[in-house]
Amino acid sequence: MILELADIRIQPGTQADFDAAIERAIGLTIAKAAGYLGHQVHKGVESPERYILTVRWNTLENHTADFRGSPAFTEWRGIVGPFFAVPPTVEHFSLLTESK
């Protein structure tokens, strides 16, 4: 399993519209992608324009090749992209340890 972590900064004052847009975009695109295992969206408390999106993928390629190389990625960016203040920072992680 690979964890994608996207650090998203949106334009101030657009939080309510972005909240609806990201939920809709995930359901229409990411959640239907090959290798998708689940996601979480966290909204900043001290920085309300900052969001952390985590997506669990079966493999790195499910995100980097299968999803990003598909028309669904273009649709995703079309829905959420207009809200971005700067391009998101995206990194991938593998699990080292966890609690039970």
Side-chain angles (χ1 to χ4, degrees):
M1 193 266 314
I2 294 295
L3 181 71
E4 169 199 357
L5 187 147
D7 188 345
I8 301 170
R9 313 292 174 113
I10 64 166
Q11 299 167 30
T14 63
Q15 293 90 338
D17 291 336
F18 182 73
D19 291 354
I22 194 168
E23 185 175 347
R24 183 168 60 89
I26 289 169
L28 290 173
T29 62
I30 295 174
K32 295 178 180 177
Y36 167 84
L37 300 174
H39 74 277
Q40 292 184 327
V41 178
H42 296 265
K43 186 174 184 173
V45 175
E46 292 83 9
S47 302
E49 297 88 20
R50 185 177 183 195
Y51 291 74
I52 300 296
L53 166 64
T54 59
V55 182
R56 294 180 310 281
W57 296 98
N58 191 43
T59 68
L60 178 64
E61 292 73 21
N62 286 142
H63 179 231
T64 59
D66 299 336
F67 178 65
R68 282 191 176 172
S70 75
F73 180 72
T74 302
E75 183 178 5
W76 157 259
R77 288 305 286 258
I79 297 169
V80 297
F83 294 94
F84 296 164
V86 296
T89 301
V90 178
E91 295 186 47
H92 299 92
F93 299 85
S94 60
L95 182 64
L96 178 62
T97 184
E98 70 179 331
S99 64
K100 296 291 177 181

